[in-house]
Amino acid sequence: MQNHKLGTFNQVVADEMKEHDLSISNYASWIKEHYVNYDFVFKVLGAGNYVVAYSKVAIDHKDYALFDIFRLDQGKIVEHWMNKEIMPAYAELTNSGKF
């Protein structure tokens, strides 16, 4: 999904994927209907069949610091949780920023 490339989306996301963000009813539809650009993935951690990715993501052209939590089964994403925070403008940062 980096640079909004969705060509392999259906190969890595299960059709019956469960989305745990209540503001998103269907993740596959949401990611295709909105401009979601994973600009940079800073950290990826995995344990068992869970993966957490910390990224800078533009959603509808607004920058977010985003944690994605994925549960995998048979090589596909079957569950997704998301925690995001709007990134302030660079001039408003009081330290080196989120990244």
Side-chain angles (χ1 to χ4, degrees):
M1 294 182 290
Q2 192 162 11
N3 299 320
H4 198 68
K5 293 181 181 171
L6 302 175
T8 60
F9 185 86
N10 293 332
Q11 295 171 13
V12 297
V13 178
D15 292 335
E16 66 281 353
M17 187 196 85
K18 180 170 171 85
E19 174 58 54
H20 293 278
D21 184 330
L22 298 178
S23 68
I24 301 171
S25 61
N26 182 299
Y27 185 72
S29 297
W30 178 81
I31 200 128
K32 292 172 184 173
E33 292 168 2
H34 295 269
Y35 177 81
V36 180
N37 179 24
Y38 282 74
D39 179 45
F40 195 85
V41 178
F42 293 95
K43 188 74 85 173
V44 177
L45 304 167
N49 58 341
Y50 288 88
V51 175
V52 177
Y54 179 37
S55 310
K56 178 183 175 192
V57 179
I59 301 173
D60 294 330
H61 304 286
K62 181 169 261 188
D63 288 337
Y64 291 86
L66 180 82
F67 281 95
D68 282 302
I69 303 169
F70 302 105
R71 186 175 72 81
L72 307 170
D73 187 31
Q74 299 180 11
K76 289 196 172 192
I77 298 168
V78 294
E79 287 188 83
H80 176 250
W81 296 260
M82 178 171 46
N83 185 3
K84 65 184 184 285
E85 181 180 339
I86 295 174
M87 293 185 59
Y90 186 78
E92 296 174 16
L93 294 174
T94 57
N95 56 26
S96 62
K98 302 235 177 264
F99 307 105

